[in-house]
Amino acid sequence: MCHACVTESVKERMLSRRSFFGAAAGAAAVAAAGGVALPRPARAATGGVADMTHTLHPDFPTFFGPQQFWETQLFNYEANKFNLKEIRVNEHTGTHVDAPLHFSADGASVDAIAPEKLVCPLAVIDIRARAAGNADTQLTPDDIRAWISAHGAIPEGACVAMNSGWAAHVATAKFRNADAAGAMHFPGFHLEAVQMLMAETAAAGIAVDTLSLDFGTSPDFATHYAWLPSGRWGLECIANLDAVPAAGATIVVGAPKHAGGTGGPARVFTLL
């Protein structure tokens, strides 16, 4: 193709793009003048970004106890002029997502969670004072009502997060907090709290700064079995809840996308 033809072709495409964006801008102005609602753009961070993710490593504490993350150095820069590791990981390790499939026969797998459900308003409910004196405490409907009284209704599509202060213990044995019999003691969501969220709100997910959506001594995973099969997701081992406000921020959950997954490690951010 001749250079002149290429130049002319590019010029035509650029003019076509300019016309398109000009028309779009005009349509937006007309819509605004006529009171027509346009799709809202994704919220941009105006006050910074908080990383809500613990660093994953082979010794990261796990629900069952044994190691759930392994890495092997296959190539290194000194010998190969590039670095490359192979990793093996249990889906429910570190800061991670619980998909509906995790506790249901036919719920959505992690790759099927709609992306718009993973970018959502964040509502942080603080139970640190109570958890400091009682490791077995749970987030209750009264805690949700107190948050609503202070901040208004739970936003549609929100992630409701429990801040128990437990993230501070992640590098110590207290994160699992197992007693002599092996029972773990840490906070979680009470069954009645998630039932309230399902019945009275349009929350999309819940998050905990502990190893489980259920409190440590739960005998039956009642919260998992109520919440996840309803088509909603959970986040476990979330970090840095102390750095974000109780209301008004937006959480971004970078869920993995492997076919048929029941969950997986996630990189999670909050836009402040």
Side-chain angles (χ1 to χ4, degrees), residues 63-64 68 90-94 96-113 206 208 211-214 220-221 223-236 258 260-265:
F63 185 87
F64 295 108
Q68 293 183 179
N90 180 301
E91 290 176 311
H92 299 273
T93 307
H96 67 275
V97 177
D98 281 5
L101 182 60
H102 185 36
F103 269 73
S104 60
D106 55 1
S109 55
V110 70
D111 56 304
I113 299 175
I206 57 174
V208 295
L211 281 165
S212 176
L213 304 179
D214 285 273
D220 54 10
F221 295 104
T223 293
H224 277 83
Y225 278 114
W227 184 256
L228 297 177
S230 71
R232 298 167 174 87
W233 50 264
L235 268 177
E236 293 172 335
H258 54 293
T262 70

Side-chain angles (χ1 to χ4, degrees), residues 20 33 56 62 265:
F20 171 79
L56 187 54
T62 68

Side-chain angles (χ1 to χ4, degrees), residues 12-262:
E12 288 177 1
R13 286 200 294 271
M14 292 299 291
L15 288 171
S16 175
R17 283 168 55 85
R18 193 174 300 165
S19 298
F20 171 79
F21 287 116
V30 170
V36 178
L38 293 175
R40 296 180 63 183
R43 175 179 170 172
T46 57
V49 179
D51 190 349
M52 315 300 290
T53 318
H54 288 294
T55 298
L56 187 54
H57 54 83
D59 297 322
F60 195 92
T62 68
F63 185 87
F64 295 108
Q67 179 180 349
Q68 293 183 179
F69 176 80
W70 299 263
E71 57 182 354
T72 303
Q73 185 90 33
L74 298 183
F75 298 90
N76 64 78
Y77 193 83
E78 182 180 1
N80 311 109
K81 299 305 179 186
F82 67 97
N83 291 302
L84 188 151
K85 292 181 179 181
E86 180 176 75
I87 62 173
R88 179 165 64 94
V89 62
N90 180 301
E91 290 176 311
H92 299 273
T93 307
T95 302
H96 67 275
V97 177
D98 281 5
L101 182 60
H102 185 36
F103 269 73
S104 60
D106 55 1
S109 55
V110 70
D111 56 304
I113 299 175
E116 59 269 21
K117 291 187 176 181
L118 297 170
V119 180
C120 50
L122 179 62
V124 180
I125 300 179
D126 192 338
I127 63 166
R128 286 176 294 178
R130 201 164 71 239
N134 178 12
D136 296 321
T137 194
Q138 299 180 67
L139 189 152
T140 67
D142 284 344
D143 295 315
I144 298 173
R145 293 186 190 101
W147 189 96
I148 291 171
S149 178
H151 304 288
I154 300 288
E156 182 175 356
C159 171
V160 179
M162 176 194 77
N163 183 7
S164 69
W166 224 250
H169 307 310
V170 71
T172 73
K174 190 171 180 178
F175 197 67
R176 295 186 78 249
N177 205 25
D179 60 24
M184 292 180 290
H185 299 268
F186 52 74
F189 272 80
H190 194 285
L191 171 61
E192 292 177 359
V194 294
Q195 288 173 332
M196 176 182 174
L197 289 174
M198 290 188 291
E200 301 180 22
T201 79
I206 57 174
V208 295
D209 53 359
T210 59
L211 281 165
S212 176
L213 304 179
D214 285 273
F215 71 123
T217 56
S218 169
D220 54 10
F221 295 104
T223 293
H224 277 83
Y225 278 114
W227 184 256
L228 297 177
S230 71
R232 298 167 174 87
W233 50 264
L235 268 177
E236 293 172 335
C237 298
I238 193 170
N240 218 19
L241 284 170
D242 294 351
V244 301
T250 298
I251 192 169
V252 181
V253 181
K257 197 176 181 182
H258 54 293
T262 70

